[in-house]
Amino acid sequence: MFCILFFPVLRHNVFVAASDVLELGDSDFDDTVAEYETVLVEFFAPWCGHCQQLAPEYETAATKLKGTVSLAKVDCTVNSETCGRFGVNGYPTLKMFRNGEDFAAYDGPRSADGIVSYMKKQAGPSSVPLHNERDLDAFVNHFEASVVGFFSSADSSQMAEFLKASSAMRDSHRFAHTADLSLGLKHGVESDTVVLFRPPRLNSKFEDSLVKSDEAVSIASLRQFIRDNVFGLCPHLTAENRENMRGRDLLVAYYDVDYLRNIKGTNYWRNRVMKVATQFQSQGLNYAVANRAEFQEELEEEFGLGPADGGELPLITIRNREGQKYSMQEEFTRDGKSLERFLEDYFAGKLKRQVKSEAAPENNDGPVKVVVADNFEELVNNPSKDVLLEFYAPWCGHCKSLEPKYTELGEQLSANTHIVIAKMDATANDVPPTYDVQGFPTIFFVPAGQKDLPRKYEGGREVNDFLNYLKEVATHPLILGNAREDLDEWTGKEAKKQKT
């Protein structure tokens, strides 16, 4: 049985707001989701911190999507049968259902606006049919980019491929199609083709407002065409699209970007960035503008830029795909000359890299060496040392449980001159890009002479687990306390390695 509150109610003189999120359970899940064309379902546990964080965003999104797409939730602590059937093994897990069938995992944004934008693309047909110029104008006059297929016939094989592609990519982009080529004449369309229309708010004299594909339509070719062109020369970076722009060498201008209330003022600075960017287009750097308030926390944590820095002028930062960071120290000038100089120095390799680092400890003689970004090269990349390095977070419970064992390990190996037991606070220091740290604690073995090939440690976390592992991989025999490990065992092991 599920509960939908249609009216606010009072309980013990406390106002309880109605919820637009469907509450489903083992007894009614299948029957209920089958009633809806599209449903987003959150599988959660009440004690889960991430679920608690998502809850208000999910409620807001449900209200905004009411009448378009339904949102539901299942408490897995009391509905284990349903959660087990759908392979839920972590919280929150979000899945999309179409006509009662598990359609796809939801991997979109977790903010209310992001959920709304993502799920609106899931409602109705994956590509909107256009019948006249009014339909076309209304579709492309949108906050986001629009992908439109112009075809000579509804029986066109190219239209069939386009509709397949739109279905595959509907969660990321907006699609429409027409079987009337005359609708595209004013845009230079003369034969079957796909056109990407950039959002009108981003129209600029520095780039075309639309791009036509010259490839035959397929899912692969259309995906590549969109990927190459959807962002344009200088897109609007948001919390929702930031992940799509990761992995690029990216310059961002942060200022009061507001495309709802101040399009002209926003594009005033964007055009200045674009004017300079056109001079360096062949250098492989990407550009974007972003609302400073939306990214202020990141600016402070990653670049040390506080709310008062730069005043109302744009702040300029670069982060490349290796994770190296730079920020423009000179004030942004309206003629763009300061940005030109910054880019010239960047491409000439003259800029000093910005590194987030704690201060290196004055005394680092403990059994576990403290690594910070500033002493990483000295301690971890010392070519003569094997290093066991733990990346941790101060708030991590598992890290706190590991600490005494890790300290004991360091004490037992304190007589070794060729091995270092070390730890690094990954929340307060930049982690080198060769280390894939997705959770805490994450531990790597960094062998002597192979500093570019760190190995993730996947073993147990008892002292003996670490010791047994290090006996296998260490470059030199271990010394436990004051006694050298049995050299016969070591010699035998080395001989065995050479034979294999």
Side-chain angles (χ1 to χ4, degrees), residues 337-475:
K337 294 299 182 183
S338 61
L339 181 57
E340 276 186 47
R341 290 188 288 271
F342 176 67
L343 286 172
E344 287 168 354
D345 287 344
Y346 171 72
F347 290 118
K350 295 180 179 178
L351 294 181
K352 181 180 179 181
R353 187 158 61 96
Q354 186 151 353
V355 178
K356 181 175 72 170
S357 178
E358 295 179 291
E362 293 183 10
N363 184 344
N364 206 5
D365 297 329
V368 177
K369 307 305 178 189
V370 176
V371 176
V372 299
D374 285 344
N375 68 9
F376 195 95
E377 190 68 25
E378 174 190 351
L379 292 182
V380 180
N381 287 342
N382 185 328
S384 66
K385 307 277 189 180
D386 288 336
V387 180
L388 190 69
L389 176 61
E390 174 205 1
F391 291 98
Y392 73 95
W395 44 260
C396 165
H398 294 297
C399 303
K400 293 175 182 177
S401 298
L402 174 63
E403 185 174 5
K405 301 171 188 177
Y406 204 64
T407 301
E408 183 182 340
L409 174 68
E411 290 171 345
Q412 289 209 29
L413 298 177
S414 60
N416 290 261
T417 58
H418 294 288
I419 191 163
V420 176
I421 307 302
K423 65 179 181 179
M424 180 178 186
D425 182 350
T427 67
N429 299 275
D430 281 342
V431 176
T434 49
Y435 294 83
D436 181 23
V437 178
Q438 300 292 333
F440 303 112
T442 297
I443 301 170
F444 284 88
F445 175 71
V446 194
Q450 301 180 58
K451 298 301 177 176
D452 58 337
L453 296 171
R455 310 172 195 171
K456 184 176 284 189
Y457 174 75
E458 304 284 6
R461 293 178 181 172
E462 298 298 329
V463 175
N464 283 338
D465 295 324
F466 290 119
L467 288 173
N468 290 332
Y469 173 78
L470 291 172
K471 286 176 184 178
E472 290 295 323
V473 300
T475 306

Side-chain angles (χ1 to χ4, degrees), residues 304-347:
L305 297 169
D309 290 320
E312 296 182 357
L313 297 174
L315 293 175
I316 305 295
T317 70
I318 293 176
R319 182 198 294 270
N320 65 23
R321 66 193 69 193
E322 284 78 36
Q324 297 171 337
K325 299 176 296 185
Y326 307 87
S327 61
M328 190 170 85
Q329 303 301 309
E330 187 178 355
E331 188 176 84
F332 193 102
T333 54
R334 295 177 189 273
D335 61 5
K337 294 299 182 183
S338 61
L339 181 57
E340 276 186 47
R341 290 188 288 271
F342 176 67
L343 286 172
E344 287 168 354
D345 287 344
Y346 171 72
F347 290 118

Side-chain angles (χ1 to χ4, degrees), residues 39-43 86-88 93-97 102 104-106:
V39 186
L40 176 63
V41 180
E42 177 200 4
F43 297 92
F86 294 105
V88 176
T93 293
L94 289 92
K95 290 178 175 287
M96 292 182 290
F97 289 78
D102 182 359
Y106 173 88

Side-chain angles (χ1 to χ4, degrees), residues 46-108:
W47 47 259
C48 165
H50 292 298
C51 302
Q52 294 166 8
Q53 199 171 24
L54 174 63
E57 301 291 330
Y58 202 67
E59 287 283 353
T60 301
T63 299
K64 291 184 176 182
L65 287 167
K66 194 172 183 179
T68 304
V69 177
S70 294
L71 269 59
K73 62 183 179 181
V74 177
D75 183 347
C76 289
T77 64
V78 293
N79 299 284
S80 56
E81 188 272 330
T82 298
C83 297
R85 270 198 296 136
F86 294 105
V88 176
N89 53 23
Y91 307 116
T93 293
L94 289 92
K95 290 178 175 287
M96 292 182 290
F97 289 78
R98 288 198 195 283
N99 301 312
E101 297 295 324
D102 182 359
F103 171 69
Y106 173 88
D107 58 359

Side-chain angles (χ1 to χ4, degrees), residues 94-130:
L94 289 92
K95 290 178 175 287
M96 292 182 290
F97 289 78
R98 288 198 195 283
N99 301 312
E101 297 295 324
D102 182 359
F103 171 69
Y106 173 88
D107 58 359
R110 298 292 176 97
S111 65
D113 288 342
I115 294 170
V116 170
S117 175
Y118 191 101
M119 292 309 298
K120 277 186 175 179
K121 293 168 185 167
Q122 303 300 321
S126 61
S127 179
V128 177
L130 306 176

